Amino acid sequence: MLKNLTLTFCILLGLQGLNAQTYASHGMVVSDDAHASQVGVDILKQGGNAIDAAVATAFALAVTLPQAGNIGGGGFLIYMPHHGEVTTVDFREKAPLSASESMFLDAEGVLVPGSNHKGLKTVGVPGTVAGLYLAHHKYGKLPWATLLQPAIDLAEQGVPLSFTLASHAKSIAESDSPEFLKQLFTDQHGRVLGFGDIWKQTELANTLAIIRDQGEDGFYKGKVAQALADYMEANGGLITTKDLENYKAIERKPVKGTYKSYDIYSMPPPSSGGVALVEMMNMMELVDFSNAEFNTTAYFHLLTEVMRRAFADRAEFLGDPDFNYDMPLDRLASKAFAKERMTFLDWNHAGVSDPVKFGQIYDGDNTTHLSVVDKEGSAVSLTYTIEQSYGTGMGCQELGFLLNNEMGDFNPQSGFTDRGWLIGTTPNKIEPGKRMLSSMTPTIVAKEGKPYLVIGSPGGRTIINTVFQTVLAVLEYDMPLQEAIEAVKIHHQWFPDELIYEQGKLSPDLVKALGSMGHQPVSRDQLGRLMGILVNEVLIGASDSSSPDGAALGY
Ligand code: GLY
């Protein structure tokens, strides 16, 4: 029902390519929102390259997809130019300078439940504007202002409220959400906007115009920075003008792995995504696939065991590289380590998640991904987030953008690991100025030195596993992109020791068989919302059908 209404709405708007594999010859943009994909394609048509289109699409998503698109959060992008080295930009949020290891604990040193996801103390110093600015400054082609203008127009002139956002608006109005979030979807008379109403964001348009005119300084210095710091001070938040002024996005070398004849480039720490993906693909390379046909009990058992191992390693070793100088990244991504990790795989029984070893805490799954390929064959894979849906739900009224609650991605209680969600390992403990560990996995797979598959997803820790399964389905099972994106996904993350599967997509017999092997199957609505491009003779774009407003648009 929701899907049909959204589809009708987009056809009425003349937007095509929704949730279906799309073909194009020159350029392609796939994102969670059709307006934003259109902005990206227009930039490509104006002669912009993949970086330009990704930057413009990301700013547009900050307007049209407020639950995840942002300038108040952070993320990662990976860029494979048609000539030259693959690179990444880390624009993950950082802990404010006054953050501390005990900031979410009570007097007994125990985590106050929910405190690390609620309120202004959970806001990490935003990185999005710095990251997009750095990417454009080094690799973009069109003027910065050209990339900001479409987002400003969308905010200023407004867009018809989608069915999805209209339903969010209604439930937000009926909830005890923060005032900022409630006002986001109301008009000047305080009326809650409904489906198809024109939704304008004047304050956000003003903030974006300052960034258009002053570059990253427009966000990290001057009027915007001062207003944000004043708002923080007045409402118990931690971020100061010094935090904002100190924030820098960082260019980092990608994690590189191989799978048979393909090269895999993905995000290094402070995301755990790339290392875990490469580790899992290395383990899969050791498998005789005649024993693991797609969608069989053996296949899901194998995936689960591979995930169990990679997530244990993720928790034990990974954190912000600027605070953890001895992370064994080369070892984790090596073929030899994969062999070691597969030694004890039992084909008939579930493995054991050992609580004396490691896992990871809960993290939010309202993130968004976009993929771009331009006419020269350069590619960008970008994932960014404000952590949970609408982040904190809070923001400074005069600035008009939502703030993240990314501090929840740190391990909140050092030294305390249980069989549930709580992990207390050191690499990801809270420290001032540190980036919290992420699971975002923007990825580019290359074939003969050129982009072949550009892919990523939201979904908290499930991101790593949904990207992994999609890459595997395309590379190993030769599946068409849309089919690989739609194919059933499972998730295991060491702790809790559960095999999560998409409801209704595994037969009861299969679930029973996995249970009898010692797994603990638990169903969930859906895993991932993948946005991908496959480069063949033509460009093939695919937006996950679970994204109600997503679109693969090309020209
Ligand atoms: N906030 C989700 C992630 O960074 O993985």
Side-chain angles (χ1 to χ4, degrees), residues 92 363-364 367 385 387 406 409 437-440 460-461 463:
R92 183 66 161 165
D363 49 14
T367 300
T385 186
E387 169 67 348
E406 217 74 54
D409 274 358
L437 188 65
S438 172
S439 298
M440 291 188 273
R461 272 164 293 167
I463 294 173

Side-chain angles (χ1 to χ4, degrees), residues 35-36 38-40 42-43 46 52-53 55-61 63-64 132 136 142-159 201-202 204-214:
H35 298 285
Q38 189 63 56
V39 163
D42 290 344
I43 290 293
Q46 287 170 45
D52 292 325
V55 168
T57 306
F59 276 119
L61 286 169
V63 177
T64 57
L132 299 181
H136 171 260
L142 295 184
W144 173 249
T146 306
L147 310 184
L148 268 290
Q149 198 55 48
I152 296 168
D153 294 343
L154 286 166
E156 212 162 58
Q157 292 158 22
V159 289
Q201 299 175 80
T202 312
L204 178 58
N206 294 340
T207 303
L208 290 169
I210 296 172
I211 298 166
R212 173 195 63 198
D213 298 340
Q214 299 175 20

Side-chain angles (χ1 to χ4, degrees), residues 233-244:
E233 193 178 355
N235 296 283
L238 303 182
I239 295 174
T240 62
T241 50
K242 192 165 172 208
D243 282 307
L244 291 161

Side-chain angles (χ1 to χ4, degrees), residues 22-335:
T22 303
Y23 300 87
S25 312
H26 299 102
M28 178 78 74
V29 180
V30 189
S31 85
D32 241 333
D33 179 77
H35 298 285
S37 297
Q38 189 63 56
V39 163
V41 172
D42 290 344
I43 290 293
L44 291 178
K45 285 183 182 168
Q46 287 170 45
N49 63 13
I51 286 284
D52 292 325
V55 168
T57 306
F59 276 119
L61 286 169
V63 177
T64 57
L65 193 87
Q67 61 274 46
N70 70 81
I71 55 172
F76 305 101
L77 79 76
I78 175 155
Y79 175 47
M80 183 166 195
H82 65 288
H83 282 309
E85 297 283 298
V86 182
T87 190
T88 79
V89 179
D90 165 6
F91 51 101
R92 183 66 161 165
E93 301 95 320
K94 293 173 86 162
L97 293 169
S98 58
S100 72
E101 205 177 326
S102 60
M103 64 189 282
F104 298 121
L105 308 182
D106 65 16
E108 272 75 53
V110 175
L111 174 69
V112 179
S115 64
N116 58 338
H117 270 109
K118 207 167 154 62
L120 286 181
K121 287 200 170 56
T122 68
V123 184
V125 183
T128 295
V129 174
L132 299 181
Y133 189 79
L134 172 64
H136 171 260
H137 184 70
K138 278 202 80 170
Y139 302 108
K141 224 166 113 184
L142 295 184
W144 173 249
T146 306
L147 310 184
L148 268 290
Q149 198 55 48
I152 296 168
D153 294 343
L154 286 166
E156 212 162 58
Q157 292 158 22
V159 289
L161 201 66
S162 69
F163 183 78
T164 316
L165 291 186
S167 64
H168 291 186
K170 188 166 180 292
S171 33
I172 287 166
E174 289 161 0
S175 72
D176 62 352
S177 295
E179 206 44 39
F180 182 91
L181 188 52
K182 290 196 167 189
Q183 288 192 12
L184 187 66
F185 295 120
T186 54
D187 65 15
Q188 68 268 40
H189 310 296
R191 188 182 69 88
V192 180
L193 297 175
F195 170 58
D197 286 345
I198 298 299
W199 171 48
K200 297 185 183 182
Q201 299 175 80
T202 312
E203 290 83 8
L204 178 58
N206 294 340
T207 303
L208 290 169
I210 296 172
I211 298 166
R212 173 195 63 198
D213 298 340
Q214 299 175 20
E216 65 175 337
D217 284 354
F219 187 88
Y220 294 96
K221 292 178 183 166
K223 197 175 148 196
V224 171
Q226 192 60 57
L228 184 52
D230 290 348
Y231 168 73
M232 285 279 164
E233 193 178 355
N235 296 283
L238 303 182
I239 295 174
T240 62
T241 50
K242 192 165 172 208
D243 282 307
L244 291 161
E245 209 174 317
N246 279 353
Y247 186 88
K248 294 278 172 288
I250 301 177
E251 195 170 4
R252 298 188 192 273
K253 269 177 72 162
V255 170
K256 184 173 179 240
T258 58
Y259 185 77
K260 301 188 176 172
S261 61
Y262 299 95
D263 292 316
I264 300 170
Y265 297 95
S266 195
M267 203 59 217
S271 184
S272 56
V275 175
L277 174 66
V278 167
E279 185 184 337
M280 290 195 286
M281 292 303 288
N282 283 342
M283 288 191 253
M284 295 310 286
E285 211 178 36
L286 300 168
V287 168
D288 171 0
F289 280 89
S290 60
N291 295 329
E293 275 178 48
F294 196 74
N295 272 10
T296 56
T297 311
Y299 170 77
F300 290 117
H301 170 66
L302 172 66
L303 290 187
T304 307
E305 291 311 312
V306 163
M307 291 169 184
R308 187 194 304 280
R309 286 157 175 74
F311 272 79
D313 298 331
R314 170 194 193 271
E316 181 169 2
F317 295 113
L318 301 182
D320 183 346
D322 298 340
F323 286 71
N324 297 282
Y325 302 109
D326 51 0
M327 284 188 290
L329 299 184
D330 290 344
R331 181 168 159 247
L332 293 175
S334 70
K335 302 284 182 195

Side-chain angles (χ1 to χ4, degrees), residues 30-32 369 371 454-456 529-533 542-544 547 550:
V30 189
S31 85
D32 241 333
H369 180 80
S371 294
V454 187
I455 192 81
R529 210 163 58 242
L530 293 127
M531 301 285 148
I533 301 175
S543 146
D544 201 318
S547 170

